[in-house]
Amino acid sequence: MRGNEGRTNNSTLLCLACYEDRLASVFDNAPDLKLFRVEDNKICPAGYLSLPSKDPKDRTSAIMTCGATFLICGAICGCTMNELEQAGVRVIPWITGMTDQVLAAYQQNCLENHVMPGCRGRGRCGQGNRGFRARKTAQEAMHPNGPTLNSAQRSK
Amino acid sequence: MKFPSNLPCSAVLDSLADGVFTVDRDWNITFFNEAASRITGVDAEEAVGSKCWDVFHSSLCDGDCALRACMKDCGRISNKSIFFIHADGRKVPVSISAAPLVDGDGNLIGGVESFRDLTDIQMIRREVEESWRFEDIIGKSTQLGKVFSILPQVSKSEATVLLLGESGTGKELFARAIHNLSERSQGPFVAVNCGALPDNLLESELFGYKAGAFTDARKDKAGRFELAAGGTIFLDEIGDMPAKLQVKLLRVLQEKTFEPLGAVQSVKANVRIVAATNKNLVELVEEGSFRQDLYYRLNVVTLKLPALKERVEDIPLLINHFVNRLNALQGKDIDGISEDTLHILMRHPFPGNVRELENILEFAFILCPSGFIQVEHLPEYLQPQSKETAPHEDTPLTMDEIKCIAVHRALDRNNGKKMATCRELGISKDTLRRTIARCKEVGA
């Protein structure tokens, strides 16, 4: 894996589980991980990883090895999500869209617009009721000083 | 009676127990029935208009779409087993069927997919598989069933158990099962292979020694009997135990005490003994290489473990078990073994028993990248005989051997189908059955 040069303490390494140009429908099956460095609200490509193994442990290790601490992905199995969270990776699951749209939404702090059908605004995706709350918390954590979610954007 | 003309098609589809959805050519969902909502956890209002992969999130959605394949080739897919992720994070096993949708003019306008929740079926299958499992021993054969039926009572008693069976029949697994089911299950399980250690070392390994017992004995060393205190000691290959140690073991069995090398006092042996051998102990007793009194002391409860060739019906179960285990260990996704491969393994005599089967599958896992294990992934000696490896025409063969070769080759050619083999060889089904049995007898 290349592209981790020049890492600074203020930057965040974001990982997107992708299939071609969109977020993969299922993280547990996603063929590719795309990495992006977020620095001062700028997002730069930071690497690419092809994932041959379907084993959740291998996937967690791959993400950890890259140094990514945030993962944005589509549907994810509860066990896999636990595995990732226990390894210290903050997961923003049940997101859909083209990679560039998702990155733009992340930048504008409006990922809620890209939540998969069946998860919108009801906090029911993921394990129990934790899914969407966890997403919001993670997003807030990534944007500690960033703008709050814009209700106009949310209802777009 | 005619189908009511005022009944909308969607009402019929909504009454089905299977989930059904349709997509247009851009993969937007155009219909989502009630069962689909119930099974996926996504409301129809939200699903309709969304991309199908955002709603169904199945294991095929990223790159291996069944609908795409159907729409591309105008074909159909039936009963393909996959999983999708439910909105609550559960992995749901489903069986899907897919087909293209065409309008009245024969133009492709999209696709339709139906899916059936297999969670209950999978649970039942798992329960059935569990019922064929006893601790870590797997099998549903009558021979094994007999052993399973008495194992709990045998385990609960404190009696010494002698396990007899060919190499690779799982003697240690049975010994562990006896330990796990006994009152001593919280204590240690210590296994010793009496045939693997040199005679002089075996004594100190089993009984330990005191400092100064011999030149290098600087400190006391606990033996395996001491380490197994409160638990079970498994003495494998007991038939290879040297005569001197047989006396000492006899004393442990009779008086429940032993003396470490160089010790002046006896130590209490609080252990349950499970011994095993692949040798015929009666013959060893007759030859004089095994003590008769020890044999009778060990032979309190004897369990004869069947060889794999005696329980052929367990082979598919064992294959399934090993494939699952190797998938988990190696992070692979092998689906199982092909029918041809299963035929070959079902006919193999397995002189190495379950261990040999496990090794064969481990070998096949190296060569098989994914999907089903095929014949070419098997070790060379299991491949159907090529001309180079076939016995030379000049090699003298007995009539039994010739018959066996003819039968095996005909079975291979006919994919294991017995009636087709009978027709080819011009023999009756009874003759074929007798010949196969004879082949097993003579090992040809």
Side-chain angles (χ1 to χ4, degrees):
Chain A
M1 217 269 313
R2 287 198 275 174
N4 281 344
E5 299 89 358
R7 187 183 293 187
T8 67
N9 287 338
N10 298 327
S11 68
T12 302
L13 196 59
L14 186 66
C15 178
L16 266 61
C18 297
Y19 167 66
E20 295 181 344
D21 292 334
R22 64 167 166 88
L23 275 199
S25 166
V26 178
F27 169 75
D28 307 67
N29 234 33
D32 305 320
L33 290 181
K34 287 180 184 169
L35 297 155
F36 298 90
R37 182 158 303 286
V38 185
E39 235 168 55
D40 303 328
N41 217 25
K42 279 186 193 161
I43 298 182
C44 311
Y48 166 88
L49 197 67
S50 180
L51 289 173
S53 165
K54 299 268 179 356
D55 186 347
K57 285 195 169 58
D58 289 351
R59 291 181 166 237
T60 307
S61 307
I63 292 172
M64 301 287 293
T65 311
C66 297
T69 44
F70 286 95
L71 166 74
I72 301 179
C73 63
I76 185 168
C77 172
C79 316
T80 314
M81 179 135 162
N82 277 346
E83 189 95 40
L84 284 159
E85 288 190 336
Q86 276 172 15
V89 179
R90 304 195 76 159
V91 186
I92 310 174
W94 303 93
I95 303 291
T96 179
M98 305 303 282
T99 313
D100 49 356
Q101 291 172 343
V102 172
L103 285 173
Y106 166 80
Q107 219 167 5
Q108 291 159 22
N109 202 9
C110 60
L111 273 176
E112 279 193 359
N113 295 336
H114 289 268
V115 173
M116 282 181 155
C119 306
R120 284 171 192 147
R122 268 183 283 172
R124 67 180 194 189
C125 285
Q127 279 186 310
N129 270 340
R130 180 186 89 164
F132 203 71
R133 288 170 74 92
R135 267 202 303 284
K136 282 178 77 173
T137 317
Q139 204 174 345
E140 279 154 14
M142 283 193 293
H143 296 275
N145 304 314
T148 52
L149 286 173
N150 182 328
S151 58
Q153 279 176 318
R154 236 181 289 161
S155 59
K156 205 161 47 174
Chain B
M1 188 184 154
K2 278 188 179 173
F3 186 77
S5 57
N6 58 348
L7 185 66
C9 199
S10 58
V12 178
L13 292 170
D14 273 338
S15 65
L16 294 177
D18 287 358
V20 180
F21 67 86
T22 59
V23 293
D24 62 18
R25 293 182 67 168
D26 292 324
W27 316 106
N28 299 308
I29 290 182
T30 48
F31 174 76
F32 206 68
N33 78 343
E34 281 181 16
S37 292
R38 195 186 62 246
I39 300 171
T40 58
V42 181
D43 293 342
E45 303 92 76
E46 275 192 90
V48 173
S50 303
K51 297 289 181 196
C52 56
W53 58 77
D54 286 339
V55 174
F56 200 42
H57 9 88
S58 85
S59 49
L60 296 185
C61 286
D62 299 319
D64 202 12
C65 175
L67 269 175
R68 187 185 293 269
C70 290
M71 284 158 71
K72 191 180 162 206
D73 305 328
C74 278
R76 284 162 186 274
I77 286 175
S78 298
N79 299 323
K80 191 176 169 77
S81 291
I82 60 163
F83 72 83
F84 74 85
I85 310 276
H86 190 275
D88 65 7
R90 266 183 308 129
K91 238 180 188 182
V92 182
V94 285
S95 159
I96 61 158
S97 297
L101 273 182
V102 287
D103 64 13
D105 300 327
N107 301 314
L108 181 76
I109 55 164
V112 56
E113 186 166 317
S114 68
F115 53 99
R116 179 169 295 175
D117 188 348
L118 298 179
T119 311
D120 291 344
I121 294 171
Q122 219 172 57
M123 271 170 65
I124 294 168
R125 190 181 296 163
R126 213 167 284 162
E127 275 172 27
V128 171
E129 278 173 10
E130 280 302 308
S131 70
W132 290 334
R133 173 188 277 267
F134 197 94
E135 292 284 309
D136 283 332
I137 311 152
I138 288 155
K140 58 171 180 174
S141 58
T142 334
Q143 291 88 332
L144 213 55
K146 282 179 194 161
V147 183
F148 284 172
S149 64
I150 57 166
L151 213 53
Q153 293 99 298
V154 169
S155 306
K156 290 277 177 275
S157 75
E158 276 285 294
T160 302
V161 180
L162 179 62
L163 299 169
L164 302 175
E166 290 176 14
S167 180
T169 46
K171 293 188 283 290
E172 184 162 343
L173 274 187
F174 276 86
R176 278 183 192 279
I178 291 169
H179 171 72
N180 291 341
L181 294 168
S182 73
E183 306 288 330
R184 295 174 170 268
S185 59
Q186 299 304 313
F189 175 85
V190 177
V192 190
N193 188 325
C194 303
L197 292 167
D199 295 2
N200 48 354
L201 200 61
L202 185 60
E203 184 172 6
S204 63
E205 265 309 308
L206 283 177
F207 304 107
Y209 55 77
K210 292 282 173 193
F214 46 88
T215 320
D216 286 332
R218 294 198 179 95
K219 283 193 280 182
D220 290 2
K221 182 186 181 276
R224 304 279 179 102
F225 270 95
E226 210 169 326
L227 294 174
T232 308
I233 190 164
F234 173 54
L235 302 173
D236 200 2
E237 297 191 31
I238 192 88
D240 294 337
M241 188 171 258
K244 194 178 85 176
L245 285 185
Q246 288 178 27
V247 186
K248 235 175 158 173
L249 180 61
L250 183 65
R251 188 163 163 223
V252 179
L253 286 164
Q254 281 174 335
E255 295 167 25
K256 297 276 176 197
T257 58
F258 64 92
E259 277 163 23
L261 281 167
V264 284
Q265 276 186 328
S266 298
V267 179
K268 277 211 164 184
N270 174 21
V271 290
R272 199 240 182 115
I273 296 174
V274 178
T277 180
N278 55 7
K279 293 190 173 163
N280 187 336
L281 281 188
V282 179
E283 273 178 19
L284 294 183
V285 169
E286 281 168 9
E287 281 171 20
S289 58
F290 200 82
R291 290 182 67 104
Q292 192 174 34
D293 41 7
L294 178 59
Y295 171 66
Y296 286 118
R297 277 283 171 184
L298 287 173
N299 193 16
V300 181
V301 178
T302 302
L303 295 179
K304 170 116 179 51
L305 309 185
L308 190 53
K309 65 182 174 219
E310 294 166 34
R311 52 183 189 112
V312 180
E313 62 265 52
D314 291 340
I315 292 176
L317 287 180
L318 287 163
I319 290 172
N320 190 33
H321 167 71
F322 287 131
V323 166
N324 289 340
R325 209 172 64 132
L326 289 165
N327 270 333
L329 283 173
Q330 300 185 12
K332 278 195 156 185
D333 201 12
I334 303 289
D335 293 325
I337 70 165
S338 71
E339 235 173 279
D340 295 356
T341 319
L342 181 62
H343 281 308
I344 291 177
L345 293 180
M346 293 290 275
R347 285 202 304 276
H348 184 61
F350 286 104
N353 289 298
V354 183
R355 193 178 296 133
E356 185 184 354
L357 175 63
E358 191 178 4
N359 291 344
I360 289 169
L361 291 170
E362 216 170 325
F363 178 91
F365 256 68
I366 297 168
L367 298 187
C368 181
S370 60
F372 285 88
I373 293 170
Q374 305 291 341
V375 177
E376 61 265 28
H377 301 135
L378 293 177
E380 188 68 34
Y381 73 95
L382 285 168
Q383 303 276 343
Q385 278 198 336
S386 61
K387 277 182 184 167
E388 293 76 32
T389 55
H392 195 270
E393 280 178 16
D394 293 340
T395 313
L397 295 168
T398 64
M399 190 55 87
D400 272 339
E401 283 169 337
I402 290 167
K403 280 183 187 171
C404 292
I405 290 170
V407 163
H408 286 318
R409 285 184 183 172
L411 279 167
D412 278 340
R413 277 193 296 276
N414 292 294
N415 294 324
K417 289 184 182 120
K418 290 191 177 161
M419 281 316 290
T421 306
C422 290
R423 275 196 297 275
E424 187 193 316
L425 295 173
I427 56 174
S428 71
K429 213 176 166 186
D430 277 345
T431 309
L432 180 69
R433 187 177 47 77
R434 274 199 301 274
T435 314
I436 293 171
R438 177 77 187 138
C439 292
K440 277 183 188 164
E441 247 174 62
V442 298

